[in-house]
């Protein structure tokens, strides 16, 4: 596709790379809009390090979220609450450095944006400037509209996150489906509020499928579901759940595509057996 056709021109001031190779086109917010118009589904996974990021990028996943779920999936905490901006920034930087096409979403952790729009903006700037994120995600609906507005006016694309919001698990009374019965109006109001405030997409977590379908139909921006049924514009899963690195009880909305834990376990056992039995290293591994 020519520059004229795509509407995107080559970087006018150089990109820091001397490579003459044709650049791979980065996924941008307008691509999501166009995908929604064409009825094409958007794919999103979490990633927290260079190899998973590069692999998911190679697979063509459009959005990589360096989620605050790193708290429980990388740092060993029980919930997403303890993880800090300083812990997430290096993970986000590693992911951003490792992708060619995917849009990297930096996730603002608990306590780093709720105090004021100024606090939210300054934290979001750190993710964009220090880590190279292409946009940020934050949790909350109508009450977060001023933060979303401040960030988008300040040049930072925002993905909102409504329905079940893990950072508020103590106010929400634990992991519960949000938006059942009369609560559906609240989900719809939140979805419209974040769109009005300028969000380019919205994650809906643990929302009844019919409510998520209605939101998706009413909004112009993309909806990304996790436990929100099949009618959202896209889907997201935490990769350790989807590909089986984490074991144990999974949420109903998780589909397991691989058994990475099993593969690693076998490999680690085979290695340990070889070392103990003296067959590794062999002459071919020695100088
Ligand atoms: O942090 C995360 O992984 C998330 C997803 C569950 C959407 O917010």
């Amino acid at each position: 596709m020519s520059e004229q056709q795509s509407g995107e021109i080559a970087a006018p001031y150089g990109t820091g790379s001397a490579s003459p190779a044709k650049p791979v086109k980065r996924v941008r917010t307008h691509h999501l809009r166009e995908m929604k118009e064409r009825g094409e589904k958007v794919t999103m996974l979490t990633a927290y390090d260079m190899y998973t990021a590069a692999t998911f990028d190679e697979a063509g996943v459009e959005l990589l979220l360096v989620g605050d779920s790193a708290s429980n999936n990388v740092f060993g905490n029980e919930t997403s609450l303890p993880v800090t901006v300083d812990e997430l920034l290096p993970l986000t930087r590693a992911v951003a450095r490792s992708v060619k096409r995917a849009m990297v979403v930096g996730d603002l952790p608990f306590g780093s944006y709720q105090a004021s729009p100024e606090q939210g903006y300054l934290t979001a700037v750190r993710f964009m400037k220090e880590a190279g994120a292409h946009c940020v995600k934050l949790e909350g609906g109508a009450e977060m509209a001023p933060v979303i507005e401040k960030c988008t006016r300040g040049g930072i694309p925002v993905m909102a996150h409504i329905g079940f919001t893990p950072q508020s698990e103590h106010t929400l009374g634990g992991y519960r489906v949000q938006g059942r019965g009369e609560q559906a109006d609240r989900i719809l109001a939140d979805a419209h509020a974040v769109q009005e405030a300028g969000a380019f997409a919205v994650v809906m977590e643990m929302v009844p499928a019919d409510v998520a379908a209605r939101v998706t139909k009413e909004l112009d921006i993309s909806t990304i579901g996790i436990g929100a049924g099949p009618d959202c514009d896209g889907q997201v899963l935490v990769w350790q759940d989807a590909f089986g690195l984490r074991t144990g009880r999974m949420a109903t909305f998780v589909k397991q595509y691989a058994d990475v834990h099993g593969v690693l376990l076998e490999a680690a056992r085979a290695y340990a057996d070889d070392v103990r039995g003296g067959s590794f290293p062999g002459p071919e591994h020695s100088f």
Side-chain angles (χ1 to χ4, degrees), residues 19-85:
S19 163
K22 203 164 168 247
V24 178
K25 258 178 67 187
R26 167 87 49 211
V27 175
R28 309 253 183 207
T29 55
H30 69 86
H31 292 127
L32 298 199
R33 213 167 38 240
E34 289 154 15
M35 287 174 80
K36 180 161 178 138
E37 278 162 18
R38 293 195 296 263
E40 283 170 27
K41 295 282 185 184
V42 177
T43 58
M44 174 161 153
L45 279 172
T46 62
Y48 315 96
D49 69 274
M50 65 182 277
Y51 289 123
T52 53
T55 306
F56 302 159
D57 189 44
E58 189 182 338
V61 174
E62 282 90 11
L63 297 163
L64 292 186
L65 169 66
V66 189
D68 63 349
S69 52
S71 185
N72 4 3
N73 288 291
V74 175
F75 293 110
N77 300 310
E78 261 184 36
T79 71
S80 62
L81 298 192
V83 80
T84 65
V85 171

Side-chain angles (χ1 to χ4, degrees), residues 243-259:
F243 305 151
L245 180 59
R246 185 164 83 79
T247 57
R249 220 174 128 240
M250 288 297 156
T252 315
F253 57 76
V254 174
K255 178 173 175 183
Q256 201 175 319
Y257 290 86
D259 177 21

Side-chain angles (χ1 to χ4, degrees), residues 46 48 65 67-69 107 137 139 161 203 205 226 236 238:
T46 62
Y48 315 96
L65 169 66
D68 63 349
S69 52
D107 206 6
K137 178 171 86 58
E139 294 184 8
H161 182 157
V203 169
E205 182 164 352
I226 174 162
V236 58
V238 170

